[in-house]
Each structure stands twice: as structure tokens, then as C-alpha cells.
Amino acid sequence: MKPRRYPPVAAMTAAGQTGVVRDIFTTVHGRYDFLNHLLSLRRDVGWRAVAIGRMSFPRTRRFLDVATGTADLAIAAARRHPGVRVVGLDFAAPMLEVGRRKVRVAGLSERIELLEGDALALPFPDRSFDVTAVAFGMRNMPDKLRVLREMARVTAPGGQVMILEMTFAPRPLFRPLYGFYLGGVLPRLARLFARNGATYFYLGDSIRHFPAPPVLASLMRQAGLQSVSWHRLTFGTAYLHIGRTPGGF
Ligand SMILES: C[S@@+](CC[C@H](N)C(=O)[O-])C[C@H]1O[C@@H](n2cnc3c(N)ncnc32)[C@H](O)[C@@H]1O
């Protein structure tokens, strides 16, 4: 297979980036979990657990995992919150196929449903979920405000909207090391293990271009969310943002 090349994120149009993202996640699915754990040094598992530990389900008892991919967040949330029903949504059918197998193996098919769809137009009525989250997916969505508005719309009053993402906002002492990892180590590791090595040039590049925590928080407020907070994870290599929809108790 001819190696692919993707343009830098800064040079992509919104439609161009969405095309690249679709291309990546319809080719990487078979190795996604392995590479995700390897390249994040398995921190992704702990970061999802932090988000899941902060979720609460007082009303609808339903959770929406936007850009669910291979359903890691959906499965971990269902295990941690036994009475909750989960919907995972993604536009890459091959990722969902891997996810469906994992859901079956975990014995959670009764509680987790995986659907093909676009985060820009969530196929759910208003106020359907207590918690709506996206893990490591927001970086791939050029129109972040539109996605956040959709997430806020389908979240019940007083519910939580969570964004978990790898970012390039580390503590100052850690910055050179992390910069070297993203620009030097990560693409080399990827070339060894991924069939589509260009994917991991895109990964490092998209992490560097993700908005800094206060900028993402301000987008969340623009989307109508309140009490927005952010939580630094592993020296600032990832952040969890949480906002609440207005209303509630
Ligand atoms: C890095 S993976 C993250 C998967 C998963 N959330 C996790 O924690 O591992 C990003 C996912 O976002 C999906 N995605 C990107 N843009 C999307 C969109 N507009 N609508 C639905 N899914 C999207 C991709 O198909 C991919 O499966």
C-alpha cells in the first residue's frame, strides 16, 4: 500500500480535515486500541477512568459517548455505573464493528447500543442524556462550537458535558520533553507499528493545534454551558473539561 501523506492541520480546510479523519479511522481500526495504549503509555485508560468517576446520572440514567470509536469509554462507563444505559455514536463504521465485538465480549449488549452518525447533527431529541462526553475525538472536529451546542442540546437540564482530550499545554518543565515525544518519538513508533504511519504525524500535529484549556472553556460557555471547569491530567498532557447545562435541581 502506498504510504499516505496528510497536509499539516494548520493548512487544512474544515472539510479537508474531516476527510482526513474519516480516512484515518476507516484504516486504523484493527490496531487502534493497541496503538492508543502504546502511544499514550496506557495513560488513556486512567484518563477515561477519571472522567467516568465524575459522572452522575440523577435523571435519565442515560450516557451518550460521542465519537465512541471502539467503545472504550462506553464500556468502562457501563461497568462503573451499573444502572445506566449507554449510546455510543461514531461516523467510522469499521471502528464501531470493533466496538460491537468488545461490547458482546464484555456481556454488555443489553445496555450499550452503538450507532453510526455524525457529532455535528446528533440523532437524538433534546434533553435525552444525563451525561454527554467525547474522549479524544474533539481534536478531530473542526467545528467545535457546533459539536458542543449539539452535546448541550441533547443533555438534560443540570446534566454534564465532558471533553477529555490530549493537549499541548504541559507544565513548563515538561514542555520540551513532550514536544520531542510528539514530534520525534511518536511518529517513529507509529511508523514501526501502524500500517498508515501518516496517521501519527496527524495525531501529534492535531494535539499541538488543540485549543488551550481556557479557550476550550470559553467555547463551552458560548455553547450555553455553565460552571465550566478543567482538570489537568498527567502533567498537562491531557485535560478533562466539564460543563453543566442550565437548569436542573
Ligand atoms: C481518537 S478516536 C477516539 C475513540 C474513543 N472515544 C476513545 O476513547 O478511544 C476518535 C474518533 O472520533 C470519530 N469522529 C471524528 N469526527 C467525528 C464526527 N464528526 N462524528 C462522529 N465521529 C467522529 C472517529 O471516527 C474516531 O473513531
Side-chain angles (χ1 to χ4, degrees):
M1 187 169 55
K2 197 165 158 265
R4 289 170 168 74
R5 279 200 174 278
Y6 300 127
V9 172
M12 286 184 201
T13 59
Q17 186 177 3
T18 303
V20 164
V21 169
R22 279 183 186 271
D23 189 54
I24 286 175
F25 290 104
T26 45
T27 54
V28 81
H29 54 96
R31 293 192 160 194
Y32 172 78
D33 287 348
F34 165 71
L35 283 165
N36 206 14
H37 298 333
L38 175 77
L39 300 176
S40 76
L41 311 175
R42 235 189 129 71
R43 290 312 308 135
D44 62 308
V45 177
W47 294 335
R48 285 193 201 87
V50 172
I52 289 164
R54 288 179 172 265
M55 292 177 180
S56 58
F57 297 92
R59 289 188 164 187
T60 67
R61 314 276 298 148
R62 295 181 79 214
F63 167 50
L64 173 64
D65 180 16
V66 179
T68 190
T70 59
D72 273 0
L73 187 70
I75 292 171
R79 283 192 173 130
R80 171 80 186 257
H81 299 283
V84 166
R85 302 190 78 82
V86 181
V87 179
L89 176 125
D90 202 286
F91 68 15
M95 294 285 277
L96 290 175
E97 269 319 302
V98 177
R100 286 195 185 103
R101 269 200 301 279
K102 286 163 61 179
V103 168
R104 270 196 303 277
V105 170
L108 289 167
S109 307
E110 295 285 299
R111 287 174 51 217
I112 301 180
E113 183 187 11
L114 300 184
L115 297 177
E116 198 173 329
D118 194 334
L120 289 173
L122 295 173
F124 309 106
D126 297 358
R127 307 170 168 209
S128 300
F129 301 92
D130 278 329
V131 183
T132 309
V134 51
F136 317 118
M138 194 51 108
R139 201 172 0 101
N140 298 313
M141 298 176 190
D143 194 346
K144 296 181 180 27
L145 185 55
R146 187 161 153 198
V147 174
L148 288 166
R149 285 199 169 118
E150 274 295 271
M151 292 175 77
R153 177 184 67 76
V154 301
T155 305
Q160 296 164 297
V161 172
M162 297 191 176
I163 313 297
L164 176 62
E165 194 50 270
M166 292 178 74
T167 47
F168 191 63
R171 309 294 282 164
L173 273 177
F174 200 58
R175 207 175 162 86
L177 186 64
Y178 189 40
F180 175 68
Y181 176 72
L182 290 183
V185 178
L186 190 138
R188 283 187 179 81
L189 276 179
R191 217 175 297 135
L192 281 178
F193 292 106
R195 286 193 195 95
N196 175 4
T199 297
Y200 291 89
F201 285 99
Y202 170 79
L203 172 65
D205 195 23
S206 64
I207 291 172
R208 284 171 184 276
H209 281 86
F210 194 70
V215 178
L216 180 62
S218 127
L219 278 179
M220 291 174 77
R221 283 185 213 103
Q222 270 186 66
L225 297 167
Q226 300 175 343
S227 312
V228 176
S229 58
W230 63 87
H231 310 269
R232 187 191 306 122
L233 304 167
T234 317
F235 309 114
T237 51
Y239 278 82
L240 171 66
H241 282 67
I242 305 177
R244 283 206 177 262
T245 44
F249 303 102

